[in-house]
Amino acid sequence: MHITDIMQGDSPTFSFEFFPPKTPEAAEILYQTIRDLESYMPHFVSVTYGAGGSTRDLTHDLVERIQTTTKLDPIPHLTCVCHQEDEIESILIRYAKTCIGNILALGGDPPRGCRYDKSGDAFQHAIDLVKFIRRFNESGAHPDRRGFGIGVAGFPEGHPATPNRLVEMDHLKAKVDAGADYIVTQLFFDNRDFLDFRERCALAEIHIPIIAGIMPITSMSGFKRIAELAGGTRFPAKLLRALQRCENNSEMVSRVGVHFASEQCHDLLDSNVAGIHFYTLNRSDATRIIFDSLGIPRRRKAQAPSV
């Protein structure tokens, strides 16, 4: 389903992010998570894309499995890193044949543990990837005459590689003008950052849907990993104080994290957010608790999952 169909109406969308499993054990956890969350009938689920080819085939396989064996609507991530135009075109053709409706076009993280020369990539920035997908759409190769819906990333707290916030907004505006249909934000823990970002987008004449990225903290190790991966993310003192009171009690840390994320979601809904995207880390417990707390009726009854 195209993103413009998904975002119809005034009701916010709810969606989940998964990443491809690398081991049989991780795969079993993920497929159980998918079974757990399928009954919630999210508007879509996104699937991440490994840097430098580390999990790219796994991404394609997972996207196609979700598309063909569940009632979920997958949106694959696609990045610029280590790609040439013919490779991206072959991926788009593959997804079009499977009737994937949308793509999330990202700059991507450089591969770890090896030398990487960005100058060799055909796409230097996410805008180049957006333009390429737009040209693919115009070729008529997709079964939907509109082609793929194109999503891009937004950074409420600022992009770590672009300290100049005015220039950063110019870059985002350029991606939208190049063909982006929606924005999914990096995770954040202070809604004021998101609301200010949304207002700055409006001032920049960016009027496409902005979906808020939320990641509940469920463990101290996960908390530290978030701080490492999401460089520049600000952790409000209120959250840090609550986590300190837990004294490394794992159950209490999870309760605090879920409660904090739930409050974020309630406030975002009160602020008429276009959608909420949960970074699940391939586990369903926290997401289900938060979703249930929001009092949102499930869209429709799902059949028994077949993952």
Side-chain angles (χ1 to χ4, degrees), residues 211-270:
I211 299 171
I214 296 294
M215 179 181 285
I217 294 170
T218 56
S219 68
M220 289 309 296
S221 60
F223 174 55
K224 293 173 182 177
R225 189 163 64 250
I226 292 169
E228 179 67 27
L229 295 178
T233 294
R234 188 164 63 86
F235 298 98
K238 178 182 178 181
L239 173 60
L240 296 176
R241 190 180 304 113
L243 290 172
Q244 284 182 356
R245 285 198 295 265
C246 297
E247 297 180 348
N248 291 321
N249 180 305
S250 58
E251 182 180 350
M252 294 309 299
V253 168
S254 179
R255 286 187 181 182
V256 164
V258 167
H259 176 72
F260 192 90
S262 297
E263 287 193 325
Q264 278 191 273
C265 292
H266 280 280
D267 182 61
L268 289 169
L269 292 174
D270 289 342

